[in-house]
Amino acid sequence: MKAAIVDFLCLSASDQIQFLKEGEFTQWPGEDRIRFLKEMLQSETSSKTMAAALKILRELKYRDRFFFRRFLYHQDSSVANAARKAMETSSISHDSGEIRLADLVNREAPANRPAVVRNLLKNCDAVNESMLLSLLQIEDFRVREEVVACISPDVNLDEDVLAEAVNGAVWYVRSALVQILGRRRSAVLPELARRLINDSNVDVRLSLAEALGWLQTGEAVPLLETLKKDANQWVRRRAEKALAEQNPQ
């Protein structure tokens, strides 16, 4: 896949678009086309190619709004418009289901909500990023604790999507996502930690110190050293505890 992307990027913009719309690419399985387009969109390429790729992703029914969102403010209007249309399509397909899910949990008595969430998340194959984020936005700490506890490394999730979802999220969603990524010992956590290490919310920084402790790699150490100097004493203590338990492989 990587070699194919390198060859693709060597083409002119017009040849790139022709390849995407008329070349052998059109015969690839849908999953391979989606993966190729996602990886290609992380590279430097023309705005016309990016807009065409976003349109094809929409036509392939790729529905990750958090992926499309990063292109909404692109300087080229064709790219921004393609991302907006993809997000609109995704919203039509999924929002009603997510809203019904959140309403289902909210309608339960507070004491029953954790059990309801536990049952919803029992089937790992049914869990996706949108469902997860919908549940985390419910204003009930017991629901969030249950979600964090249930999302194990066995659940197939795009962790890049979860890290991207931290942007603009309310503090308790940021905190929960950090905890989930920490428990999964996610490779995206160090980069996310660099973005959140000076977060304005103490709970987010506390979760970050704990999550980095789960990581158990040398990459976590300098980040924990920074948190050990945090203005909040509880963040400092948690970072110190995590450092004491570190055993880099």
Side-chain angles (χ1 to χ4, degrees), residues 197 205-214 216 220-246:
I197 206 157
R205 302 199 308 276
L206 279 167
S207 294
L208 193 59
E210 183 174 25
L212 288 167
W214 278 89
Q216 289 286 305
V221 172
L223 295 163
L224 286 167
E225 291 285 0
T226 299
L227 288 168
K228 195 172 73 169
K229 303 170 186 175
D230 194 272
N232 182 276
Q233 64 170 321
W234 301 110
V235 176
R236 293 198 300 271
R237 289 181 182 179
R238 189 164 295 184
E240 288 169 359
K241 182 175 182 293
L243 276 168
E245 296 171 351
Q246 281 291 303

Side-chain angles (χ1 to χ4, degrees), residues 137-194:
Q137 290 172 40
I138 295 173
E139 295 186 29
D140 186 329
F141 74 92
R142 288 163 297 190
V143 168
R144 295 193 295 276
E145 287 180 347
E146 194 64 46
V147 173
V148 170
C150 289
I151 303 299
S152 71
D154 297 328
V155 180
N156 185 23
L157 293 168
D158 188 333
E159 294 177 345
D160 287 324
V161 170
L162 300 185
E164 183 70 20
V166 170
N167 296 333
V170 68
W171 70 267
Y172 51 79
V173 175
R174 299 200 303 275
S175 179
L177 286 170
V178 166
Q179 291 175 50
I180 288 169
L181 291 169
R183 286 170 176 263
R184 291 168 64 91
R185 293 174 172 81
S186 172
V188 307
L189 185 59
E191 181 57 35
L192 179 62
R194 294 182 189 99

Side-chain angles (χ1 to χ4, degrees), residues 76-113:
D76 190 293
S77 60
S78 65
V79 176
N81 288 335
R84 177 180 54 77
K85 289 179 181 178
M87 288 190 68
E88 288 172 354
T89 303
S90 177
S91 297
I92 291 170
S93 299
H94 286 284
D95 274 358
S96 59
E98 292 169 15
I99 291 169
R100 285 197 301 271
L101 178 63
D103 285 345
L104 171 68
V105 176
N106 272 323
R107 283 198 300 269
E108 292 289 335
N112 296 334
R113 289 173 184 166

Side-chain angles (χ1 to χ4, degrees), residues 48-78:
K48 289 182 178 180
T49 301
M50 292 176 69
L54 290 167
K55 181 182 178 183
I56 294 170
L57 279 174
R58 173 167 61 86
E59 292 169 347
L60 289 169
K61 303 189 186 307
Y62 183 65
R63 297 295 184 247
D64 182 354
R65 285 175 296 161
F66 298 98
F67 178 83
F68 292 126
R69 187 174 63 182
R70 71 187 69 178
F71 301 100
L72 277 179
Y73 306 104
H74 194 275
Q75 59 186 2
D76 190 293
S77 60
S78 65

